[in-house]
């Protein structure tokens, strides 16, 4: 069954993309096809999550070719969680934004857009599941190429094409670094399988080539994750992305690449002395600088992107400091932020005017970003603080606490600006389907936040 | 919406009366996953105070406001419910959730219609409260969780031998200033600013619900997280708590004396009395805790009456400053003048009013065991200051002659007067419910050996 699940994750988006093109003249069939594909992906991810919940790992090798000769896909608990994140965010983004997409594009263009969207999802799925370096590169490129096209597709912003080109350059540089790094490691170890690489590296003495290869792989992934100082592209690119795809990208794209980096880091690939210092200083600069930048920024979209990068800063700090249950901590921080950030991006996108009742949803999701108790953002922050205190990092403990307050301050300031711009005295009492989508996400956020209170003590 | 709220508050009020007479049989402690709810004596007293004063404020609001916006009604309702759920919290996490929700729901009430002054006050309000919560309260919570492994409210406290004394002391101070809703000097600045809100909001929330919520959560932490015995041992060599609280009392009293605005005077008087509630608590004794709870109730009754009277003068005569008060105002509304005077005398602590009973109990708790004469001196000095700033107002009402003509706007005054009569009657007849109140407080379990 799990084999079928893995195959479903690969085949369903491909077929969905293909049949979208075939049915390019039938708008409703396109919608149903994409919806069914996304629902099947969500179902498959949930199935995979149930089967890997007790930390069981499942390995699938394509064509029966055993490792290290064949390509291996792995389903672990953390992989399954991220697969669910990608599919759920994709589904919710699709449901939320499809009406606007319909208004803005012709049926044919919509078919192409849906196909690219599904290919992007396929790429991200592959990046998460694969246990093969070169395969990782292939899926990385696959999703990137789809994203370049999706970003450029913004009829309301003339700078979208140049933003897409900018991302093409940055993304290509990252991919090339990654590929060269993989090449160096392959040259030394003779294998592309990640697990086998790790085993072989322990017996190899040629540290300079390994060092270089690992650095290049890390560099490639960190560029894609927009980690300081390789972050310059993200605001320029996402600032001009169309409002359908931006919630999806802000919730998944750079977080998935960052997850891959974290996975490789925790496996022990980047085991060289200066990396901890680099991660530490990067984290501090990201948290401080981006908090100040967010405080001065008026545009809510940019503020949300900056908050996403600040969460990555927290994770980098965790990687630098170390501790127990790191993966649990990191995944919880990234997931909780994704859910709230996607909901907020949806609310402020599509030129939606914030009206009184969906402003309440906005406030709840903003409070989740802040780490308000009883929202999903609270327990990960509590765990982060407990981890730092357990490591006796009292200075960092105080610093992080202060940054939580800074998060509140800049979100509060941006929300005030949003209230003034939207003039919340206007009234509209028609509850739309889009509002129902965001309401579902918000209720899920609060429900999971209350459930997570069972686990306030870090395991 | 106001009628619905008034009806709800009446129902809740009756329910609370029933619960107080059925106590201690109705005490419970239930868990819903990470959330925990508990009805215990201090919570029961707090919820009674909230429900009674919520009902009375709704009556007052029916007369004060011509039209009530939906945001105002919804936020008031949500604030009171948050405060009540805080009263029913069974662990520190649940208390923290509702404590923060109270801040969020009261923010739109302070902001009001969004004028520049109101927006500035609202910003100061939320930034100070959130700063203290994030920077002091949250880390204290994390430290308690780290050393004790749990945040449940347990009889006798959860503090064990693993918790170093220095950290107990440090976290205690963090909780003291982290619960900034108590408005201890110097984290009090949000309260005078929040007085830009309309009188019913200032009266119910900033004189009753919000500040008492801060005091309540701190009391619960003292009794059920640390335990009175533990705090007593920690502070046995040098009780700096008395000095910190004493400084706040005297600073607030001195600032109140210098106030020219009526609302400002009442705000600083609130800060003074909230710190005064902590003074008997600094004895870390059972009697001290009971005195703090008693003073919480008497102050709430007295202060809300003062606010109602001030609101009446503001609405009917457009009086905001103390200098505008004169005998002519009194002549136009004698009952309000008398009500203000009675409530002021109660807050000062003149017998046989409510305030005297709680102050007498406070003195008793300070003299019990190892008498703390410094605390007693601070209490007496604060009372003298109180006499000064309230007598100033009473003098103007009764003895300063009229200057110019007065055109009152008496729309809705009957509801306002009804609310004031009820609270004034409670201030006078407080002694009637005192035995029941004391029997509820006697059932507080301070140690698991009881």
């Amino acid at each position: 069954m799990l084999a079928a699940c893995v195959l479903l994750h690969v085949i369903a988006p491909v077929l969905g993309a293909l049949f979208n093109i075939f049915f390019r003249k039938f708008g409703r069939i396109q919608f149903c096809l994409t919806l069914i594909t996304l629902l099947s992906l969500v179902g498959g991810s949930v199935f995979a999550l149930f089967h890997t919940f007790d930390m069981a790992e499942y390995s699938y090798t394509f064509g029966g070719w055993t490792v290290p000769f064949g390509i291996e896909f792995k389903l672990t608990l953390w992989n399954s969680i991220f697969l669910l994140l990608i599919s759920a965010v994709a589904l919710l983004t699709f449901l939320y934004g499809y009406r606007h997409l319909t208004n803005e594009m012709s049926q044919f263009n919509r078919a192409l857009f849906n196909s690219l969207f599904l290919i992007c999802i396929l790429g991200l799925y592959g990046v998460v599941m694969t246990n093969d370096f070169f395969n990782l590169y292939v899926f990385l490129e696959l999703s990137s190429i789809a994203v370049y096209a999706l970003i450029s597709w913004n009829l309301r912003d003339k700078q979208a094409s140049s933003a897409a080109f900018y991302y093409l350059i940055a993304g290509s540089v990252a991919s090339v670094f990654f590929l060269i790094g993989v090449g160096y490691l392959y040259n030394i170890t003779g294998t592309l399988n990640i697990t086998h690489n790790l085993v072989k590296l322990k017996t190899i003495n040629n540290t300079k080539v390994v060092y270089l290869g690992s650095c290049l792989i890390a560099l490639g992934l960190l560029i894609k994750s927009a980690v300081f100082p390789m972050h310059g592209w993200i605001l320029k690119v996402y600032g001009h992305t169309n409002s359908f795809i931006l919630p999806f990208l802000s919730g998944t794209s750079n977080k998935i690449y960052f997850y891959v980096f974290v996975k490789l880091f925790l496996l022990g690939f980047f085991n060289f002395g200066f990396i901890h210092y680099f991660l530490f200083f990067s984290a501090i600069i990201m948290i401080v600088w981006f908090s100040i930048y967010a405080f001065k920024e008026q545009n809510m979209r940019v503020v949300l992107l900056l908050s996403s990068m600040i969460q990555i800063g927290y994770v980098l700090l965790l990687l630098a400091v170390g501790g127990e249950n790191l993966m649990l901590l990191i995944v919880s921080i990234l997931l909780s932020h994704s859910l709230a950030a996607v909901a907020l991006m949806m609310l402020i996108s599509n030129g939606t005017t914030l009206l009184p009742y969906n402003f309440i949803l906005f406030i709840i999701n903003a409070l989740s970003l802040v780490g308000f108790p009883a929202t999903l953002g609270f327990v990960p922050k509590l765990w982060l603080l407990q981890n730092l205190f357990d490591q006796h990092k009292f200075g960092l403990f105080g610093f992080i606490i202060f940054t939580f307050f800074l998060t509140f301050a800049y979100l509060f300031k941006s929300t005030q600006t949003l209230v003034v711009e939207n003039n919340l005295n206007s009234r509209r009492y028609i509850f739309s389907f889009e509002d129902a989508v965001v309401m579902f996400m918000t209720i899920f956020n609060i429900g999971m936040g209350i459930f997570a209170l069972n686990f306030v003590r870090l395991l | 919406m106001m009628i619905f709220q008034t009806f709800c508050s009446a129902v809740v009020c009756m329910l609370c009366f029933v619960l107080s007479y059925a106590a201690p049989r109705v005490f419970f402690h239930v868990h819903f996953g990470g959330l925990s709810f508990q009805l215990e004596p201090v919570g029961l007293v707090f919820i009674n105070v909230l429900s009674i004063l919520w009902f009375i404020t709704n009556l007052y609001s029916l007369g004060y406001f011509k039209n009530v916006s939906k945001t105002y009604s919804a936020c008031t309702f949500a604030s009171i419910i948050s405060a009540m759920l805080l009263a029913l919290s069974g662990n520190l996490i649940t208390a923290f959730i509702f404590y923060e929700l109270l801040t969020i729901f009261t923010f739109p009430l302070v902001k009001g219609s969004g004028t520049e002054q109101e927006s500035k006050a609202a910003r100061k309000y939320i930034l100070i409260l959130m700063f203290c919560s994030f920077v002091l309260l949250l880390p204290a919570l994390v430290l308690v969780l780290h050393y004790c492994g749990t945040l449940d409210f347990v009889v006798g406290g959860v503090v064990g031998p693993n918790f170093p004394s220095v950290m107990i002391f440090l976290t205690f101070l963090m909780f003291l200033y982290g619960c900034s809703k108590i408005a201890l000097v110097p984290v009090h600045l949000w309260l005078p600013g929040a007085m830009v809100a309309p009188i019913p909001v200032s009266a119910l929330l900033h004189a009753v619900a919000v500040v008492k919520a801060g005091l309540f959560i701190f009391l619960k932490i003292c009794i059920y997280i640390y335990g009175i015995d533990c705090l007593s041992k920690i502070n046995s060599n040098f009780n700096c708590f008395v000095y910190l609280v004493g400084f706040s009392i005297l600073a607030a009293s001195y600032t109140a004396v210098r106030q020219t605005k009526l609302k400002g005077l009442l705000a600083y008087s609130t800060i003074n009395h909230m710190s005064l509630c902590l003074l008997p608590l600094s004895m870390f004794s059972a009697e001290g805790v009971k005195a703090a709870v008693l003073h919480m109730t008497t102050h709430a009754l007295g202060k809300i009456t003062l606010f109602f009277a001030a609101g009446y003068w503001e609405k009917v005569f457009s009086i905001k400053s103390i200098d505008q008060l004169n005998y002519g105002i009194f002549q136009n509304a004698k009952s309000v003048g008398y009500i203000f005077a009675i409530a002021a005398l109660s807050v000062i602590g003149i017998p046989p009013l409510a305030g005297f009973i709680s102050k007498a109990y406070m003195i008793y708790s300070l003299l019990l065991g190892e008498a703390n004469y410094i605390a007693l001196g601070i209490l007496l000095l604060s009372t003298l200051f109180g006499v000064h700033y309230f007598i100033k107002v009473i003098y103007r009402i009764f003895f300063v002659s009229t200057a110019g003509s007065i055109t009152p706007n008496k729309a809705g005054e009957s509801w306002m007067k009804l609310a004031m009569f009820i609270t004034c009657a409670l201030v006078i007849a407080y002694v009637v419910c005192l035995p029941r109140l004391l029997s509820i407080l006697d059932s507080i379990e301070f140690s698991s050996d009881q």
Side-chain angles (χ1 to χ4, degrees):
Chain A
M1 280 297 283
L2 278 173
C5 178
V6 169
L7 284 171
L8 170 78
H9 287 149
V10 177
I11 293 169
V14 173
L15 289 178
L18 205 57
F19 282 113
N20 255 292
I21 304 294
F22 287 162
F23 293 107
R24 60 188 178 275
K25 290 185 183 172
F26 305 100
R28 284 194 187 165
I29 295 178
Q30 285 168 27
F31 175 79
C32 293
L33 206 57
T34 314
L35 185 63
I36 290 167
T37 310
L38 291 172
L39 282 169
S40 65
L41 289 176
V42 171
S45 310
V46 170
F47 182 80
L49 186 61
F50 273 122
H51 277 84
T52 53
F53 202 74
D54 53 356
M55 303 302 282
E57 282 186 10
Y58 175 75
S59 173
Y60 178 84
T61 49
F62 284 89
W65 287 89
T66 54
V67 295
F69 302 106
I71 290 172
E72 182 191 16
F73 269 25
K74 257 196 174 164
L75 280 179
T76 62
L77 172 64
W78 311 119
N79 287 354
S80 306
I81 289 172
F82 276 95
L83 292 180
L84 184 58
L85 172 72
I86 297 167
S87 54
V89 169
L91 176 65
L92 292 165
T93 310
F94 180 75
L95 289 173
Y96 188 83
Y98 201 73
R99 195 158 31 162
H100 293 280
L101 212 61
T102 312
N103 294 338
E104 287 189 7
M105 290 182 190
S106 63
Q107 269 175 201
F108 178 71
N109 284 341
R110 234 182 299 143
L112 292 177
F113 194 90
N114 288 342
S115 300
L116 283 169
F117 184 50
L118 289 171
I119 296 293
C120 175
I121 293 168
L122 168 68
L124 291 173
Y125 258 54
V127 161
V128 170
M129 284 196 289
T130 190
N131 199 34
D132 183 284
F133 271 125
F134 189 74
N135 202 235
L136 179 59
Y137 168 75
V138 167
F139 281 112
L140 199 145
E141 279 293 283
L142 191 64
S143 66
S144 298
I145 287 167
V147 167
Y148 303 150
L150 289 169
I151 284 172
S152 66
W153 217 322
N154 188 356
L155 298 174
R156 292 184 192 197
D157 192 336
K158 289 175 186 169
Q159 293 191 45
S161 305
S162 53
F165 184 72
Y166 197 89
Y167 188 32
L168 170 71
I169 303 296
S172 302
V173 165
S175 306
V176 163
F177 278 140
F178 182 83
L179 190 62
I180 295 174
V182 167
Y184 275 121
L185 284 186
Y186 179 58
N187 188 30
I188 292 295
T189 61
T191 176
L192 289 168
N193 184 276
I194 291 174
T195 317
H196 272 241
N197 245 292
L198 201 56
V199 167
K200 291 244 172 160
L201 283 172
K202 284 178 186 160
T203 60
I204 285 164
N205 292 326
N206 193 345
T207 52
K208 277 186 188 168
V209 179
V210 169
Y211 188 82
L212 184 60
S214 306
C215 276
L216 287 169
I217 290 174
L219 190 60
L221 290 171
L222 291 176
I223 293 173
K224 293 293 276 185
S225 313
V227 165
F228 180 88
M230 290 84 66
H231 65 283
W233 60 268
I234 196 168
L235 294 175
K236 285 191 178 100
V237 170
Y238 286 3
H240 300 292
T241 305
N242 71 65
S243 45
F244 175 87
I245 208 72
L246 181 62
F248 175 73
L249 291 178
S250 67
T252 55
S253 181
N254 59 319
K255 289 191 172 67
I256 297 300
Y257 300 127
F258 188 65
Y259 163 67
V260 174
F261 171 79
V262 168
K263 196 164 64 172
L264 295 176
F265 183 92
L266 291 176
L267 281 172
F269 268 98
F270 311 125
N271 214 359
F272 27 88
F274 79 91
I275 187 113
H276 290 271
Y277 295 105
F278 170 75
L279 292 177
F280 180 80
F281 286 112
S282 232
I284 299 293
I285 293 170
M286 278 178 86
I287 294 168
V288 174
W289 184 14
F290 293 155
S291 298
I292 296 169
Y293 190 164
F295 196 76
K296 291 181 181 175
E297 185 55 53
Q298 305 275 9
N299 188 337
M300 193 68 199
R301 200 186 248 211
V302 172
V303 169
L304 291 174
L305 289 170
L306 289 167
S307 83
S308 172
M309 288 147 78
I310 290 167
Q311 302 307 305
I312 289 179
Y314 289 140
V315 174
L316 287 176
L317 199 63
L318 275 172
L319 290 177
V321 161
E324 290 179 19
N325 301 303
L326 268 185
M327 199 48 144
L328 171 67
L329 254 149
I330 289 167
V331 168
S332 61
I333 290 173
L334 292 177
L335 276 189
S336 61
H337 184 266
S338 278
L339 186 67
V342 169
L344 287 168
M345 281 291 191
M346 283 178 181
L347 285 168
I348 62 166
S349 66
N350 285 333
T352 309
T353 307
L354 270 186
L355 297 162
Y357 62 90
N358 60 16
F359 184 66
I360 295 168
L361 299 177
F362 182 90
I363 292 291
I364 296 171
N365 283 291
L367 289 174
S368 177
L369 280 189
V370 168
F372 198 80
T375 60
L376 197 52
F378 177 62
V379 171
K381 290 195 156 70
L382 211 57
W383 284 348
L384 172 62
L385 290 174
Q386 284 180 67
N387 184 68
L388 288 173
F389 197 81
D390 288 343
Q391 304 287 313
H392 303 291
K393 308 282 181 200
F394 305 120
L396 278 178
F397 181 85
F399 168 70
I400 293 295
I401 294 225
F402 186 65
T403 62
F404 289 167
F405 173 68
L406 275 182
T407 308
F408 172 79
Y410 68 68
L411 278 173
F412 173 71
K413 185 170 176 281
S414 315
T415 310
Q416 293 276 84
T417 315
L418 205 64
V419 167
V420 167
E421 279 172 8
N422 277 271
N423 187 17
L424 284 181
N425 290 325
S426 60
R427 294 166 188 273
R428 179 177 71 105
Y429 292 97
I430 305 162
F431 189 73
S432 64
F433 176 71
E434 287 85 7
D435 299 325
V437 170
V438 182
M439 185 169 273
F440 168 76
M441 292 171 76
T442 310
I443 291 171
F444 182 80
N445 188 320
I446 296 173
M448 288 303 291
I450 292 173
F451 175 72
L453 292 175
N454 278 307
F455 311 105
V456 286
R457 182 84 181 101
L458 184 58
L459 300 163
Chain B
M1 191 81 182
M2 277 313 303
I3 308 284
F4 170 72
Q5 233 190 104
T6 312
F7 175 72
C8 281
S9 58
V11 168
V12 170
C13 193
M14 284 190 286
L15 186 65
C16 290
F17 271 136
V18 168
L19 285 175
S20 7
Y21 277 93
R25 285 167 303 205
V26 290
F27 293 151
F28 63 85
H29 196 154
V30 292
H31 298 271
F32 293 110
L35 295 177
S36 174
F37 294 98
Q38 174 190 39
L39 182 62
E40 47 75 53
V42 183
L44 183 60
V45 171
F46 183 45
I47 211 169
N48 265 288
V49 168
L50 276 174
S51 61
I52 293 167
L53 296 181
W54 181 28
F55 172 64
I56 297 170
T57 310
N58 282 329
L59 292 177
Y60 187 87
S61 302
L62 289 173
Y64 188 87
F65 292 114
K66 228 189 254 182
N67 296 306
V68 172
S69 72
K70 282 191 178 160
T71 311
Y72 172 85
S73 298
C75 288
T76 316
F77 192 82
S79 305
I80 295 296
I81 297 299
S82 301
M84 287 188 174
L85 289 170
L86 170 62
L88 292 173
S89 55
N91 65 18
L92 195 46
I93 283 281
T94 314
F96 186 58
I97 291 168
F98 292 112
Y99 179 84
E100 296 303 327
L101 277 175
L102 187 57
T103 311
I104 300 295
F105 288 132
T106 46
F107 171 74
L109 297 171
V110 178
K111 197 165 177 212
S113 52
T115 61
E116 201 184 311
Q117 193 193 11
E118 283 170 338
S119 298
K120 201 175 164 192
R123 259 198 311 273
K124 195 197 251 184
Y125 173 78
I126 203 162
L127 286 175
I128 292 176
L129 290 181
M130 282 297 183
F131 179 83
C132 292
S133 288
F134 275 110
V135 173
L136 294 170
L137 194 53
L138 179 65
L141 205 140
V142 170
L143 292 176
V144 168
L145 186 60
H146 173 81
Y147 285 110
C148 305
T150 178
L151 291 170
D152 284 340
F153 289 141
V154 167
V155 170
V158 295
V159 165
N162 295 335
F163 209 149
S165 304
V166 170
M167 293 309 292
I168 293 177
F169 181 73
L170 184 65
T171 50
F172 182 71
L173 284 181
M174 285 165 82
F175 278 126
L176 179 65
Y177 289 103
C179 298
S180 51
K181 287 189 172 76
I182 307 175
L184 210 61
V185 174
V187 294
H188 68 288
L189 290 169
W190 61 269
L191 185 51
M195 292 296 147
V196 295
I199 279 287
V201 173
S202 299
L204 181 65
L205 295 174
H206 304 297
V208 177
V210 172
V211 292
K212 302 300 188 288
L215 178 66
F216 173 77
I217 196 175
F218 186 70
L219 278 171
K220 292 271 284 217
I221 288 167
C222 288
I223 302 170
Y224 299 114
I225 295 287
Y226 290 109
I228 293 298
D229 294 333
C230 166
L231 287 173
S232 176
K233 272 185 216 154
I234 297 295
N235 289 283
S236 55
N237 288 332
F238 175 65
N239 192 347
C240 75
F241 184 44
V242 172
Y243 298 99
L244 293 172
V245 167
F247 166 71
S248 179
I249 291 169
L250 296 175
S253 302
Y254 177 69
T255 318
V257 164
R258 298 182 63 196
Q259 291 299 306
T260 54
K261 300 271 183 210
L262 200 48
K263 269 180 157 182
L265 182 138
L266 295 178
Y268 278 98
S269 170
T270 301
I271 297 167
N272 172 27
H273 279 269
M274 291 316 301
S275 307
L276 215 52
C277 286
L278 293 177
L279 196 61
L281 191 63
S282 65
M283 299 293 103
F284 302 116
S285 62
E287 300 307 321
V289 169
K290 289 175 198 173
V293 176
L294 273 180
H295 195 64
M296 180 174 78
T297 58
T298 60
H299 174 257
L301 287 174
K303 193 46 62 70
I304 207 170
T305 315
L306 291 171
F307 267 104
F308 284 167
Y312 180 91
W313 287 328
E314 188 185 20
K315 184 157 186 294
V316 173
F317 304 106
S318 304
I319 286 172
K320 288 191 178 166
S321 154
I322 297 170
D323 293 338
Q324 289 174 288
L325 289 168
N326 52 57
Y327 187 68
I329 304 295
F330 170 68
Q331 277 194 308
N332 266 279
K334 283 188 178 171
S335 54
V336 177
Y338 287 130
I339 285 169
F340 185 93
I342 292 169
L345 292 173
S346 170
V347 171
I348 291 168
I350 304 296
L353 301 168
F356 167 73
I357 296 169
S358 63
K359 276 204 171 156
Y361 206 91
M362 242 195 266
I363 294 170
Y364 165 67
S365 69
L366 291 175
L367 292 174
L368 211 60
E370 270 185 54
N372 192 324
Y373 294 105
I374 294 172
L376 192 62
I378 292 169
L379 173 62
L380 293 172
L381 202 54
S382 160
T383 307
L384 285 172
F385 272 118
V387 167
H388 182 236
Y389 54 71
F390 278 125
I391 293 296
K392 190 170 66 176
V393 180
I394 295 170
Y395 177 79
R396 283 205 68 92
I397 300 167
F398 290 106
F399 300 108
V400 172
S401 54
T402 312
S405 63
I406 302 151
T407 44
N409 167 21
K410 292 201 171 184
E413 69 157 0
S414 46
W415 285 111
M416 290 195 274
K417 279 185 173 172
L418 173 65
M420 279 189 270
F421 278 132
I422 297 172
T423 52
C424 190
L426 286 171
V427 162
I428 295 168
Y430 184 80
V431 67
V432 171
C433 47
L434 185 61
R436 187 67 209 140
L437 194 52
L438 284 174
S439 74
I440 292 172
L441 293 178
D442 283 337
S443 61
I444 300 174
E445 291 176 63
F446 290 100
S447 130
S448 48
D449 302 329
Q450 272 181 261

